[in-house]
């Protein structure tokens, strides 16, 4: 452990200075930031500060009559939602039921010295708890629909999202550990086909990193940023940043806002394109793969400038300005 550098603190912004204009400056920095006490006046946060029972009642009394998905892992997993040792399956089970029943179960295991890990993850608040949105607003993101995450002391492996994210701590404390996107090779991503969190997760156990198995993680740790959020605090996670999340208390509730700004209508999925690239390029001979790297740099990443700049507008075709018709034309070409 002495070989691992401690994570540096994430810069914090005081809630009193956070408005939409200031938040745009935070986003423009392309760096994470803690937004201290930005939701400190939320009724949900007030209920959470009173007691675990109060926040459970607050949510259950407002929940719609629909089921939620839940996951649970044995106490032996020590709160880590991950894989079995042979990576053949995930180490947790899935079920569904009413939110109120889940919350009662969560309160029921809160005093156990060695409880199972339990979580309801990424449920849309608009359909689950409609009144929550009206009573607990985040003015800096007025048009983004929030999701809710509820659980006990759980550990979520480092992963990334193809979205920007503001995550608000409602109940319990949460520790976020972040890594910039360029540290992917030092985080040892796992399989694509079976993932605990949608995109591949890091195989490194941040609580006990094994440098014999994952030696490059020592370099990733040099770039790690970390913050502990209290109820009412939030964190801004830029697009594509890897983040691990540790819930530190027996009842932990988070509300997050995902969005991907600037996407033209009809654009394709970058993640699907990544999978297609693995299919099409990864297994080519090295010299051929290098040719395609050059082509991608030219046409896609525009390292030589706009690849259509030398063509008249009527001849730019799929290299022209983005619009729905252009994307439809490209899909037609792919279909043929």
């Amino acid at each position: 452990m002495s070989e691992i550098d401690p994570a540096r603190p994430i810069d914090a912004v005081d809630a009193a200075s956070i408005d939409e204009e200031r938040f745009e400056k935070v986003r423009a920095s392309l760096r994470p930031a803690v937004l201290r006490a930005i939701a400190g006046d939320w009724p949900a946060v007030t209920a959470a500060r009173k007691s675990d029972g109060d926040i459970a009642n607050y949510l259950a009394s407002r929940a719609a009559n629909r089921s939620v998905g839940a996951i649970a892992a044995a106490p032996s997993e020590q709160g880590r939602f991950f894989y079995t040792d042979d990576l053949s399956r995930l180490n947790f089970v899935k079920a569904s039921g009413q939110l109120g029943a889940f919350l009662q179960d969560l309160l029921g295991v809160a005093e156990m010295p060695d409880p199972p890990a339990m979580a309801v993850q990424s449920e849309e608040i608009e359909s689950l708890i409609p009144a929550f949105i009206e009573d607990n607003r985040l003015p800096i993101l007025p048009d983004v629909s929030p999701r809710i995450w509820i659980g006990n002391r759980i550990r979520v492996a480092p992963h990334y999202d193809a979205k920007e994210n503001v995550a608000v701590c409602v109940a319990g404390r949460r520790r976020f550990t972040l890594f910039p996107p360029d540290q992917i090779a030092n985080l040892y991503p796992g399989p694509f086909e079976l993932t605990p969190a949608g995109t591949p997760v890091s195989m490194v156990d941040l609580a006990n990193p094994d440098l014999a198995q994952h030696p490059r993680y020592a370099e990733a740790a040099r770039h790690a940023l970390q913050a502990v959020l209290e109820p009412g605090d939030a964190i801004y996670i830029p697009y594509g940043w890897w983040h691990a999340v540790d819930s530190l208390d027996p009842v932990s509730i988070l509300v997050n806002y995902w969005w991907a700004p600037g996407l033209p209508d009809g654009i394709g999925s970058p993640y699907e394109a990544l999978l297609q690239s693995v299919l099409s390029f990864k297994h080519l001979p090295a010299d051929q793969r290098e040719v395609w790297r050059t082509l991608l740099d030219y046409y896609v990443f525009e390292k030589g400038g706009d690849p259509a700049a030398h063509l008249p507008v009527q001849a730019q075709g799929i290299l022209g300005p983005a619009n729905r018709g252009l994307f439809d034309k490209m899909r037609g070409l792919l279909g043929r």
Side-chain angles (χ1 to χ4, degrees):
M1 291 298 292
S2 60
E3 300 178 65
I4 302 294
D5 289 354
R8 290 172 289 131
I10 298 173
D11 291 340
V13 181
D14 186 74
S17 65
I18 303 172
D19 54 19
E20 288 190 66
E21 181 178 354
R22 178 68 187 278
F23 182 56
E24 288 307 308
K25 293 180 180 178
V26 170
R27 290 183 58 233
S29 74
L30 304 180
R31 301 283 293 176
V34 174
L35 313 177
R36 290 291 181 204
I38 193 170
D41 60 350
W42 279 14
V45 171
T46 299
R49 286 173 176 157
K50 291 179 181 177
S51 72
D52 292 342
D54 277 280
I55 184 57
N57 290 335
Y58 180 92
L59 297 178
S61 65
R62 291 163 173 78
N65 185 26
R66 75 161 176 86
S67 64
V68 296
I71 59 176
S76 59
E77 302 300 331
Q78 298 182 315
R80 190 185 188 204
F81 290 130
F82 199 60
Y83 296 96
T84 55
D85 289 342
D86 62 0
L87 303 188
S88 65
R89 57 188 176 85
L90 300 173
N91 70 346
F92 52 86
V93 296
K94 299 180 180 180
S96 63
Q98 295 294 305
L99 178 61
F102 174 84
L103 290 166
Q104 286 304 309
D105 290 343
L106 189 67
L107 294 175
V109 304
E111 300 302 321
M112 293 175 58
D114 194 19
M118 302 171 54
V120 163
Q121 297 187 309
S122 193
E123 289 285 346
E124 292 183 350
I125 295 180
E126 186 174 8
S127 62
L128 180 62
I129 320 169
F132 187 99
I133 298 176
E134 184 65 31
D135 295 339
N136 303 273
R137 291 187 174 276
L138 193 65
I140 60 172
L141 293 171
D143 301 319
V144 181
S145 182
R147 293 175 173 268
I148 195 165
W149 309 67
I150 307 169
N152 52 1
R153 290 189 177 98
I154 59 177
R155 295 191 289 145
V156 175
H159 62 285
Y160 65 91
D161 301 313
K163 298 179 178 70
E164 295 182 54
N165 187 6
V166 167
V168 180
C169 184
V170 173
R173 297 162 299 141
R174 294 214 179 195
R175 180 173 59 233
F176 284 79
T177 307
L178 273 60
F179 305 87
D182 63 7
Q183 290 305 302
I184 182 171
N186 300 324
L187 290 169
Y188 298 87
F192 276 94
E193 294 81 0
L194 180 67
T195 70
T199 56
V201 303
S202 170
M203 301 304 294
V204 181
D205 183 354
L206 267 58
N208 188 28
D210 183 349
L211 293 186
Q213 186 175 13
H214 304 123
R216 293 193 306 273
Y217 176 69
E219 175 62 20
R222 291 183 56 246
H223 300 269
L225 301 173
Q226 193 172 86
V228 174
L229 269 58
E230 301 282 344
D233 293 340
I235 186 171
Y236 168 66
I237 303 175
Y239 187 101
W241 275 63
W242 289 74
H243 49 287
V245 188
D246 298 319
S247 302
L248 306 178
D249 292 300
V251 173
S252 183
I253 299 170
L254 186 86
V255 168
N256 90 296
Y257 300 76
W258 273 321
W259 79 108
L263 297 184
D265 181 38
I267 195 171
S269 164
Y271 190 74
E272 290 178 5
L274 174 62
L275 297 179
Q276 180 71 39
S277 296
V278 173
L279 171 67
S280 302
F281 302 136
K282 176 176 170 55
H283 302 290
L284 290 174
D287 60 327
Q288 295 180 27
R289 196 164 64 236
E290 193 59 34
V291 169
W292 285 103
R293 182 201 300 273
T294 301
L295 290 169
L296 288 168
D297 281 346
Y298 178 72
Y299 283 113
V300 177
F301 301 108
E302 300 188 353
K303 290 192 174 180
D306 181 359
H310 61 284
L311 297 172
V313 172
Q314 70 273 15
Q316 290 180 355
I318 66 171
L319 298 178
N323 58 68
R324 183 66 191 234
L326 176 96
F327 297 138
D328 289 343
K329 181 187 295 185
M330 293 176 69
R331 287 188 172 90
L333 287 173
L334 290 170
R336 291 196 296 272

